[in-house]
Amino acid sequence: MQAQTSASWSSKIGFILSAAGSAIGLGAIWKFPYTAGTNGGAVFFLLFLLFTILVALPVQLAEFYIGRTSGTNAVDAFKTLAPGSHWPWIGRMGVTACFVLLSFYSVVGGWVLNYVVHAFTGAVTPGADFKALFEQTIASPFSVLFYQGLFMLMTIFVVKGGVSDGIEKANRYMMPALFVLFLLLAGRSLTLPGAAKGVAFLLKPDWSNFTPQTMLTALGQAFFALSIGVSTMITYAAYLSKKQDLFRSGNSIMWMNLLVSLLAGLVIFPAVFAFGFEPSQGPGLIFVVLPAVFMQIPFGTLLFAVFMLLVAFATLTSAFSMLETVIAAIIRREEVKRRRTSRVVGTAIFIIGIPSALSFGVMADMKIFGKTIFDLWDFMISAIIMPIGAFGIAVFTGWIQDRQQVLAAISEGSSVPQTLIQLWLTTLRHLAPIAIILVFANTLGWI
């Protein structure tokens, strides 16, 4: 059934690093630490670990099945596997979500690039007012648009090179660099006086924090962390050969994501506790609290610059997958159209993102349903489209597709025991849809 694309990954590790790069973005480095910080630390981390393995991974593997079996983009994949049905709307929704998601994700990516410049040009110094610096950074119209544009240019430059020459090549350097630098930073953070309190906060559960709300928040983070529900993994898996072991690849990607989340926690929380800050600082943790923390460490300015460079790497690798999902759906394997389409679509995403970029400055008072443009897009994608997409993918693979066909396709190239593969399908059919409905209902305030 597979109609191989004219582009493909040049190696198994290239796919794993690129897919891990898609998953390891702001969710692991920015959102996980502040969400863990505001939800009790270790209890949240354990629940996040459990839900990632039991719920998010099965849905990710379902996306792998859809992508590799069809061998085509996220929209045509459903047309190939369920011709004449309405299921391609799941793919269309995923492609649209990636377009919109990248329009405001690139804004945060721009903030990160701006902070890299801040760190290397002396704006981040001991005694600086980091709250004022952050507010100034996100409110300046020229600054936010310039860095958002720069972020999109970098993303376009890589994606227009294609899968093996662009995305894979970039991830081959960026992902190992991310892990090495994170290990060095975590080592430095763990040697600070008082760091043990931060380690205990992240790894020693205080069961008084075990609440239904913490469980639902951890479940939501598990979905967000593996980039499921917006068809990026369908798109990446379409470039795979049938020799690739989908189970082992998915397992590797999941553990790499969990490792980066853990390392982010081990960089941030020991340092936060060592210098008497509160871990429950919310979204401003890496932009406001961390600079102040690093300034109290020898060579802190340089270390903070390295940390923000890491965040920039992770943010870009996720952006590659979002843009690729849109490009693949448009060019439909006609690689000759890639370069021009990448430039046109990337420019369109930048333009659509301008109101989001200005949502913290000149357009801060413009509200729709009580939300700024940035917050409205964020809510629509994270709270509505991602859960619906993940639910659709779980139901489509688990219930609509022929059970034996799914088991045969997912087993191809895999050395994983059949009992484990059957357990995956059972989990996908029953546990995943229920979990997704709970996250959806909780996010909308229904429970």
Side-chain angles (χ1 to χ4, degrees):
M1 185 174 289
Q2 189 182 35
Q4 276 291 348
T5 58
S6 57
S8 61
W9 305 108
S10 67
S11 65
K12 293 179 181 180
I13 190 65
F15 164 70
I16 290 171
L17 288 174
S18 298
S22 170
I24 298 167
L26 290 175
I29 298 176
W30 176 50
K31 193 173 182 182
F32 170 77
Y34 84 71
T35 309
T38 53
N39 285 275
V43 168
F44 175 85
F45 180 55
L46 287 175
L47 290 170
F48 166 62
L49 177 69
L50 185 68
F51 291 139
T52 299
I53 295 169
L54 292 180
V55 183
L57 178 62
V59 179
Q60 184 190 66
L61 289 169
E63 291 201 24
F64 285 176
Y65 157 77
I66 294 169
R68 188 177 71 171
T69 306
S70 65
T72 188
N73 67 77
V75 179
D76 291 341
F78 289 95
K79 290 180 181 178
T80 302
L81 297 177
S85 71
H86 293 297
W87 284 101
W89 282 104
I90 295 293
R92 293 187 187 104
M93 187 172 65
V95 172
T96 304
C98 282
F99 185 95
V100 175
L101 178 55
L102 188 52
S103 77
F104 68 85
Y105 189 91
S106 60
V107 174
V108 185
W111 298 349
V112 172
L113 292 180
N114 200 348
Y115 261 73
V116 172
V117 174
H118 283 335
F120 281 108
T121 56
V124 178
T125 55
D129 185 339
F130 295 113
K131 185 177 181 183
L133 178 65
F134 181 57
E135 290 172 352
Q136 178 187 333
T137 298
I138 66 175
S140 167
F142 172 78
S143 178
V144 291
L145 291 177
F146 174 80
Y147 284 103
Q148 180 205 3
L150 178 61
F151 184 87
M152 282 307 305
L153 279 174
M154 294 168 78
T155 305
I156 292 166
F157 177 78
V158 170
V159 174
K160 74 181 178 64
V163 176
S164 59
D165 289 334
I167 297 168
E168 183 177 346
K169 195 171 286 184
N171 278 292
R172 273 183 177 273
Y173 293 103
M174 294 170 82
M175 291 307 295
L178 185 143
F179 279 102
V180 170
L181 291 173
F182 246 133
L183 285 168
L184 291 173
L185 281 176
R188 180 67 190 97
S189 191
L190 290 169
T191 58
L192 294 170
K197 289 182 181 178
V199 176
F201 177 76
L202 182 63
L203 300 179
K204 187 178 179 182
D206 175 358
W207 294 106
S208 65
N209 293 306
F210 184 77
T211 65
Q213 185 59 46
T214 302
M215 289 181 67
L216 290 168
T217 305
L219 190 54
Q221 176 64 18
F223 285 123
F224 189 86
L226 282 187
S227 294
I228 59 175
V230 290
S231 300
T232 54
M233 293 302 170
I234 292 176
T235 304
Y236 272 14
Y239 301 120
L240 283 175
S241 78
K242 292 184 178 180
K243 294 179 182 178
Q244 185 94 1
D245 189 326
L246 295 184
F247 267 82
R248 293 190 188 280
S249 297
N251 205 39
S252 299
I253 292 160
M254 178 193 72
W255 285 112
M256 287 169 74
N257 191 295
L258 289 170
L259 177 60
V260 168
S261 296
L262 175 62
L263 287 173
L266 291 176
V267 169
I268 292 169
F269 292 123
V272 165
F273 275 89
F275 296 109
F277 289 92
E278 284 296 319
S280 55
Q281 293 288 328
L285 185 65
I286 70 168
F287 294 108
V288 179
V289 178
L290 274 192
V293 169
F294 274 102
M295 289 311 99
Q296 299 187 53
I297 302 173
F299 307 107
T301 304
L302 177 62
L303 290 173
F304 180 70
V306 170
F307 178 80
M308 292 313 296
L309 206 55
L310 281 180
V311 181
F313 282 3
T315 311
L316 281 165
T317 54
S318 292
F320 299 158
S321 66
M322 295 177 212
L323 183 56
E324 175 60 25
T325 299
V326 181
I327 300 303
I330 295 173
I331 66 173
R332 303 179 76 175
R333 301 197 298 273
E334 294 184 51
E335 288 295 312
V336 69
K337 297 180 179 178
R338 174 176 288 277
R339 287 178 175 272
R340 183 175 182 277
T341 305
S342 298
R343 289 192 291 265
V344 171
V345 172
T347 303
I349 289 171
F350 169 74
I351 293 168
I352 295 295
I354 289 174
S356 295
L358 301 177
S359 289
F360 303 90
V362 295
M363 293 180 67
D365 294 330
M366 182 179 173
K367 302 285 178 71
I368 301 174
F369 303 117
K371 298 180 184 292
T372 63
I373 301 294
F374 182 99
D375 290 336
L376 181 67
W377 285 135
D378 186 17
F379 179 79
M380 284 179 60
I381 300 297
S382 301
I384 299 174
I385 294 180
M386 286 182 87
I388 291 175
F391 182 80
I393 287 161
V395 170
F396 178 78
T397 306
W399 294 96
I400 303 303
Q401 292 286 279
D402 178 75
R403 180 186 177 92
Q404 294 308 314
Q405 176 190 313
V406 171
L407 290 172
I410 203 84
S411 300
E412 199 159 5
S414 178
S415 57
V416 173
Q418 280 298 309
T419 51
L420 195 59
I421 293 175
Q422 289 175 354
L423 179 62
W424 158 73
L425 189 57
T426 301
T427 303
L428 183 72
R429 286 164 63 94
H430 301 287
L431 182 59
I434 294 170
I436 294 165
I437 290 170
L438 287 173
V439 171
F440 186 63
N442 176 62
T443 309
L444 296 181
W446 297 346
I447 57 174

